[in-house]
Each structure stands twice: as structure tokens, then as C-alpha cells.
Amino acid sequence: MTETITGEVIHVVGPAELDEAELVAELAALAESRYVLVCREGGKPGWLERLWSFLRRDPIEPVTIVADDAVEEGVEVTATVRETDVPGVYEAVDVRPA
């Protein structure tokens, strides 16, 4: 089953950097020669949302997407994803700029 996630890419780990990154074994195996995109779900938060998150002590949780194509940091994307066995990690079916 697929779902759609919209988020801002805050970090990218490319295939050449996978060995250097400290990834859990399950994520490393899933990524192999693909890109690992760490995203802030919901897109780039406004200043009011950041302030509200800070005051509530409720951080904005990132999600991790394993994708075939590279995406630059700071870009908002809409991704159709499948959930994996690793909590918070999704496998991309399609990733497009939002």
C-alpha cells in the first residue's frame, strides 16, 4: 500500500557516501546503491510553527525516504512511498518537487 508524503529535504546521503554514513544495518541494506533522503514532513515550517513546536517541546519529526534519484537539500518534495519494516523509513515509488 502506498501513501503520499510532502516534506522538505534536510539531508541527502548519496550512494558513494553510504559506507561512511552511520546507518542501521536494515537501512543500509535497503539503500544499497540508492539515495537516502531525510525529510521534514509537512514541508518547510513557518516561523509561527517553529515557535509553537519549541514552546510545546514537540520537535518536528523527520522521515527517511530511500529513492533512486538524487534531490538537493532544501527542496520540498511530494513522494509516493511504501512503508518498510524499519520504523520511520519509506521506500519511494515516485519523488517530485512540490
Side-chain angles (χ1 to χ4, degrees), residues 24-28 30 64 83-90:
V24 294
E26 295 90 353
L27 178 55
L30 185 64
T64 303
E83 194 170 3
T84 66
D85 293 335
V86 182
V89 177
Y90 299 88

Side-chain angles (χ1 to χ4, degrees), residues 46-84:
W47 66 271
L48 187 57
E49 185 178 0
R50 289 181 192 183
L51 177 62
W52 185 244
S53 242
F54 176 76
L55 293 174
R56 290 184 321 183
R57 303 220 188 291
D58 183 23
I60 299 167
E61 294 295 324
V63 294
T64 303
I65 300 172
V66 178
D68 292 330
D69 300 318
V71 178
E72 291 184 33
E73 292 178 4
V75 174
E76 283 194 37
V77 295
T78 300
T80 303
V81 297
R82 275 191 298 269
E83 194 170 3
T84 66

